[in-house]
């Protein structure tokens, strides 16, 4: 089994993440064209509850397994690593089975009292196998990460995405004649098929690794039978007392529960957001079908488009954690400041063009991508807040790297509480409706990002340079003006060509301005894979 360095492993996961993000956008475009916004709403309404259940099952388990197996491997304690894996698998399977049975038994009550549209029942039933499948997959992923082998996880994610795209669209199309609720259930069935494919890849890699290990052990025993046998006995006798079930289970829970609790705040907030939004829209006099369509447009179309640039900000967060942790351990404050400034600057510079494009061209984007231009005002309202989303990832990563997860959790909790209160207050007003929920989500994003920034400032004294914001803002204005000029000079019969041309030329202009203003320099470009080699 190949073992990678941290940088190589991070690049493998980054490449897989970008590919999966691009591929994952395919059903976002095509599914609304097959089942419409209301069908997407039925598909999306069950997700918040699923995420809460998955957080309980897998919240901190992969991280705990990866951390602990890596520690055991560093001391050559293979037997203990295997025992950790088996214990984690038994715990995860047990919790997943219990929650799956509970979901099946109480499905009618959950649908009636928690979820806002009873038509989601079939989709809800289709998603119940995901608890066990994703739970088992998470243990295998944590195991391979602990072994510092990122390839199986990357391959698994990519295959899962491809199967999910094909199966979701095929099943949704096949079941559409039976009604929207069946079409949404078919889309969810495609998700189950994708997760099964991803799990199959992990199982195949695990079995292959096991066979390779047996082959190496057979060769070693044949070459030095006496020595190998004696060493094995000695090792077992020394470590026998260290692998009892109770200590392993106790420490596993000790490592995973805090992370699970932190993630539960976000997942519960997401669930309550969907419930409160639906009930508030009903209070505003909006009928269930329209409310479901509006929620589906928000969660299934607008927010995924807004989150496209987070593939880069996520990779920044992943690479920032070990870098800051190492610098903090050495007490190198200068390096901490340097890394923070680099990551925040890249997040700002890379996210700004997306904000300009989505703000100016919300209507053609929604028309060309989704064939639903009526939801363009939602994108226009959320697009300017996108810059806060892109800056939030490195700030949160910094708090985790500096051993301040409690601050990140508290900031997230405050933002979630404010968001839910505002949803109830604003979305229930007939003159606002779904836009009240949008305002609440925007306030939450801005508030959490500012609180994270204040926390980072308090702990390490970091703050962004004001001149960076001024320069990027000026470049955004010039880019927007150029994009609008190009768009209006192209024939409207070729709208998609005009949009692509306007975006491409204006982004090139924006990058040239960034270089001219010295926000981006040759060293930044040199870090880009493939392209960077020409600038080194």
């Amino acid at each position: 089994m190949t073992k990678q360095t941290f940088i190589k492993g991070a690049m493998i996961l980054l490449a897989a993440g970008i590919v999966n993000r691009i591929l994952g956008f395919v059903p976002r475009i095509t599914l609304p064209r097959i089942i419409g916004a209301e069908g997407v709403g039925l598909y999306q309404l069950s997700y918040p509850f699923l995420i809460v259940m998955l957080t309980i099952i897998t919240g901190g388990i992969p991280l705990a397994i990866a951390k602990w197996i890596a520690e055991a491997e560093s001391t050559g304690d293979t037997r203990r690593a295997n025992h950790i894996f088996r214990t984690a698998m038994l715990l995860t399977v047990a919790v997943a089975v219990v929650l799956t049975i509970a979901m099946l038994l109480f499905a009618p009550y959950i649908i009636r009292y928690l979820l806002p549209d009873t038509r989601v029942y079939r989709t809800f039933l289709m998603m119940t196998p995901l608890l066990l499948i994703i739970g088992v997959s998470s243990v295998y992923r944590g195991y391979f990460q602990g072994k510092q082998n990122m390839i199986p996880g990357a391959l698994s994610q990519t295959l899962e995405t491809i199967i999910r795209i094909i199966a979701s669209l095929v099943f949704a199309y096949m079941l559409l004649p039976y009604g929207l609720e069946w079409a949404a259930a078919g889309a969810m069935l495609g998700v189950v098929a994708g997760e099964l494919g991803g799990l199959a890849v992990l199982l195949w890699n695990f079995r292959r690794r096991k066979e390779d290990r047996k082959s190496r052990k057979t060769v070693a025993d044949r070459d030095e039978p006496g020595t190998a046998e004696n060493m094995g006995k000695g090792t077992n006798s020394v470590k026998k007392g260290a692998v009892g079930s109770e200590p392993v289970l106790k420490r596993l829970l000790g490592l995973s529960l805090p992370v699970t609790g932190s993630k539960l705040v976000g997942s519960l907030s997401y669930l309550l957001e969907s419930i409160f939004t639906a009930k508030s829209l009903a209070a505003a006099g909006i009928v269930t079908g329209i409310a479901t369509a509006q929620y589906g447009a928000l969660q299934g179309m607008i927010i995924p488009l807004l989150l496209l640039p987070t593939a880069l900000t996520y990779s920044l967060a992943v690479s920032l954690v070990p870098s800051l942790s190492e610098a903090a351990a050495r007490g190198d404050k200068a390096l901490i400041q340097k890394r923070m400034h680099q990551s925040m600057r890249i997040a700002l510079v890379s996210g700004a063009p997306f904000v300009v494009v989505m703000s100016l061209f919300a209507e053609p984007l929604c028309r060309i991508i989704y064939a639903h231009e009526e939801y363009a005002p939602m994108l226009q309202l959320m697009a300017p807040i996108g810059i806060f989303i892109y800056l939030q990832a490195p700030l949160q990563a910094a708090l985790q790297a500096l051993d301040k997860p409690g601050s990140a959790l508290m900031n997230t909790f405050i933002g979630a509480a404010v968001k839910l209160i505002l949803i109830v207050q604003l979305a229930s007003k007939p003159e606002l409706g779904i836009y009240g929920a949008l305002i609440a989500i925007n306030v939450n994003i801005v508030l959490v990002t500012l609180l994270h920034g204040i926390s980072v400032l308090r702990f390490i004294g970091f703050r962004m340079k004001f001149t960076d914001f001024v320069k990027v803002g000026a470049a955004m204005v010039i880019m927007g003006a150029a994009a609008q000029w190009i768009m209006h000079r192209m024939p409207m019969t070729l709208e998609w060509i005009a949009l692509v041309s306007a975006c491409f030329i204006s982004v090139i202009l924006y990058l040239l301005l960034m270089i001219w203003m010295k926000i981006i320099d040759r060293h930044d470009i040199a870090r880009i894979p493939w392209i960077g080699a020409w600038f080194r």
Side-chain angles (χ1 to χ4, degrees), residues 73-334:
E73 287 287 308
S74 67
T75 60
D77 195 347
T78 305
R79 185 166 177 259
R80 186 166 182 77
N82 291 335
H83 189 65
I84 294 164
F85 170 76
R86 288 193 298 270
T87 304
M89 183 62 78
L90 286 172
L91 175 64
T92 301
V93 169
V95 176
V97 168
V98 169
L99 290 180
T100 301
I101 293 172
M103 281 181 63
L104 290 172
L105 289 176
F106 296 102
Y109 304 98
I110 295 171
I111 301 299
R112 185 181 305 167
Y113 297 111
L114 288 181
L115 302 184
D117 195 323
T118 55
R119 293 176 298 170
V120 80
Y121 180 72
R122 292 180 178 87
T123 306
F124 187 88
L125 293 181
M126 289 291 184
M127 80 181 186
T128 51
L130 290 173
L131 299 186
L132 183 59
I133 298 168
I134 295 177
V136 172
S137 295
S138 71
V139 177
Y140 279 112
R141 287 196 174 98
Y143 174 81
F144 283 117
Q145 289 170 9
K147 296 284 186 177
Q148 298 182 47
N149 183 12
M150 307 301 175
I151 292 176
L155 290 175
S156 170
Q157 290 176 16
T158 303
L159 183 64
E160 179 271 322
T161 303
I162 293 172
I163 295 175
R164 172 167 50 84
I165 291 170
I166 298 171
S168 293
L169 297 178
V170 170
F171 291 150
Y173 181 77
M174 290 173 59
L175 295 175
L176 182 59
Y178 300 97
L180 277 182
E181 55 267 44
W182 275 106
M188 185 60 73
L189 185 60
V191 176
V192 175
E195 290 294 344
L196 281 173
L199 177 58
V201 172
L202 294 170
L203 288 170
W204 179 76
N205 277 276
F206 183 78
R207 184 175 179 181
R208 189 181 65 170
R209 179 194 170 277
K210 206 170 183 180
E211 290 173 353
D212 289 345
R213 189 175 59 188
K214 285 181 180 179
S215 299
R216 288 195 301 268
K217 186 177 179 181
T218 302
V219 172
D221 289 345
R222 186 172 63 245
D223 291 343
E224 297 181 54
T227 305
E229 185 180 353
N230 292 336
M231 287 178 65
K233 288 180 180 178
T235 303
N236 289 344
S237 63
V238 171
K239 295 171 184 173
K240 187 176 181 181
V243 293
S245 297
E246 189 174 348
V248 170
L249 182 60
K250 185 177 180 180
R251 191 183 174 196
L252 188 65
L253 290 173
L255 288 170
S256 62
L257 285 178
V259 179
T260 301
S262 178
K263 289 185 176 181
L264 264 178
V265 173
S267 58
L268 283 172
S269 169
Y270 184 33
L271 174 61
L272 292 175
E273 175 191 315
S274 66
I275 296 171
F276 286 10
T277 299
K279 292 187 178 299
S280 298
L281 292 177
I286 299 172
V287 297
T288 302
I290 296 175
T292 301
Q294 290 178 343
Y295 182 80
L298 174 61
Q299 294 294 341
M301 302 181 196
I302 305 305
I303 290 180
L305 194 61
L306 195 67
L307 294 181
L308 266 180
T310 57
L312 176 61
T313 56
Y314 172 76
S315 68
L316 284 173
V318 169
S319 58
L320 188 63
V321 170
S323 179
L324 286 186
S325 299
E326 184 181 355
R330 296 200 309 265
D332 192 344
K333 294 183 179 179

Side-chain angles (χ1 to χ4, degrees), residues 356-357 360-361 474-486 506 509:
V356 173
V357 170
L360 293 179
F361 305 129
M476 290 171 69
V477 172
I478 296 171
M479 173 192 166
Q484 286 276 49
W485 186 85
I486 295 168
S506 62
L509 174 62

Side-chain angles (χ1 to χ4, degrees), residues 489-522:
R489 291 298 180 275
M490 298 289 287
M492 289 306 293
T493 53
L494 302 172
E495 187 178 35
W496 71 271
I497 296 178
L499 181 61
V500 171
S501 301
C503 293
F504 180 76
I505 296 172
S506 62
V507 167
I508 295 297
L509 174 62
Y510 169 83
L511 292 175
L512 291 174
L513 288 170
M514 289 292 94
I515 295 171
W516 179 65
M517 294 178 183
K518 297 183 179 179
I519 294 291
I520 299 175
D521 57 27
R522 182 173 58 85

Side-chain angles (χ1 to χ4, degrees), residues 344-359:
M344 293 293 287
R345 181 164 51 92
I346 293 172
L348 176 64
V349 170
S350 61
F354 287 90
V355 171
V356 173
V357 170
M358 288 185 288
S359 297

